[in-house]
Amino acid sequence: MLTVMSLNCNCLSDKHGPWEKRAILMADLIARIRPDIILFQAAALHPVRTNGIDQGSEIARMADYPYAVFEQSDCMPDRLVLGQTIISKYPVTGVETLQLSPAPGIADRTKRLVMKGEVLLNEGILYLYNAYFSWIAEQTRQNLEESLPFINKCDGMALLMGDLNTPEMQVFEPLRKAGWKDVWILLKKETAGATFESHKPEIRIDYAWANEYLEKYVDTVETFNHQSEDGLIRMSDHLALMVTLTLNPS
């Protein structure tokens, strides 16, 4: 069995608590559940505030994961670097990124990307796509249109996971037409599975999509949250989403 988790790090936002405390909660959850692979979105790196280590790689160190790959999407004037990270128990190869284009005249100016990694399994290569889309539906559609050629060029099992940032299911119609299956709906037969915001999840904006080669290996999908005993500190503004696949690392 292979488990893949997706989690938005919420950058260095203090809304749900300072990163130093959120990191402990995040690492504790991951160390307890021990997913094989974790895809992080909105992972920040700052020379002072994170000691020059991106948030995902810091969690890899804290939870004792041997492999971590960070890809930058943007660099702010205050030296804050934004990006996405894949951490894993197994080597991640074939790393590529697709930089997504901000739509002109749209309020969301965040630079976003889709990050690809490959993990070798007994059944073949698993292509992982770590995606972070816009929260504005018009731009989410554009993000998806740009991403489709990138994620469809693989010849084998592929899993698209991440913060796709919209509960509007019609936005994903091109993905469905391309043969991808929404794992939550595939297994749960419903549109529940809210992931945002973590203190009171009401909408589903974090997703897992399996292509036609991977669909038969999908076994379970579930969400996780972790917070302090008083409920004031939470690991993120998102719940973690995890998929279990009936696949075996080589």
Side-chain angles (χ1 to χ4, degrees):
M1 305 294 277
L2 187 84
T3 48
V4 184
M5 177 179 281
S6 173
L7 179 59
N8 183 307
C9 288
N10 198 206
C11 294
L12 295 176
S13 170
D14 289 338
K15 179 177 180 180
H16 293 268
W19 169 243
E20 294 77 10
K21 294 183 178 180
R22 294 197 294 110
I24 293 171
L25 291 172
M26 197 177 292
D28 179 65
L29 175 74
I30 288 170
R32 178 159 41 89
I33 297 173
R34 298 301 295 173
D36 293 299
I37 303 164
I38 302 103
L39 313 181
F40 291 105
Q41 305 87 46
L45 179 157
H46 191 273
V48 177
R49 296 182 67 187
T50 68
N51 296 314
I53 303 171
D54 70 273
Q55 290 171 294
S57 295
E58 182 176 355
I59 297 301
R61 178 185 57 79
M62 294 172 69
D64 196 24
Y65 278 72
Y67 300 99
V69 183
F70 172 75
E71 290 292 332
Q72 177 179 327
S73 60
D74 202 0
C75 184
M76 313 305 285
D78 63 356
R79 297 189 295 166
L80 179 70
V81 174
L82 304 178
Q84 286 154 235
T85 311
I86 299 175
I87 73 173
S88 175
K89 297 178 183 177
Y90 311 103
V92 178
T93 61
V95 176
E96 297 180 49
T97 59
L98 172 69
Q99 190 80 45
L100 301 174
S101 306
I106 296 294
D108 179 12
R109 305 306 299 166
T110 303
K111 293 182 180 178
R112 303 173 185 273
L113 55 80
V114 179
M115 179 183 183
K116 169 184 158 289
E118 301 173 10
V119 177
L120 183 60
L121 307 174
N122 288 335
E123 297 82 357
I125 295 173
L126 173 63
Y127 298 90
L128 297 165
Y129 293 97
N130 179 8
Y132 186 29
F133 288 175
S134 174
W135 50 272
I136 297 177
E138 179 183 342
Q139 191 162 336
T140 309
R141 291 187 181 91
Q142 178 179 303
N143 291 161
L144 182 57
E145 289 173 5
E146 282 189 292
S147 300
L148 278 173
F150 183 64
I151 67 176
N152 282 333
K153 70 179 181 181
C154 69
D155 183 21
M157 301 173 294
L159 180 66
L160 170 70
M161 291 186 75
D163 177 7
L164 305 188
N165 239 335
T166 180
E168 298 181 29
M169 294 302 296
Q170 67 272 19
V171 169
F172 301 114
E173 190 59 30
L175 198 55
R176 283 189 288 268
K177 287 181 177 179
W180 292 76
K181 296 293 179 64
D182 181 337
V183 171
W184 193 274
I185 292 178
L186 180 67
L187 296 180
K188 302 291 186 177
K189 309 298 182 185
E190 59 187 38
T191 56
T195 60
F196 187 81
E197 281 199 16
S198 56
H199 65 291
K200 189 181 178 183
E202 295 180 337
I203 59 174
R204 184 164 71 109
I205 63 174
D206 300 86
Y207 294 84
W209 291 79
N211 74 351
E212 57 184 338
Y213 299 104
L214 186 66
E215 179 185 347
K216 64 182 178 181
Y217 296 108
V218 175
D219 188 56
T220 65
V221 61
E222 51 197 321
T223 57
F224 297 91
N225 194 17
H226 194 27
Q227 60 186 29
S228 60
E229 290 186 6
D230 60 11
L232 298 179
I233 309 295
R234 305 172 189 88
M235 63 179 183
S236 173
D237 56 343
H238 292 245
L239 300 188
L241 179 69
M242 191 174 80
V243 173
T244 302
L245 306 170
T246 56
L247 295 167
N248 298 291
S250 62

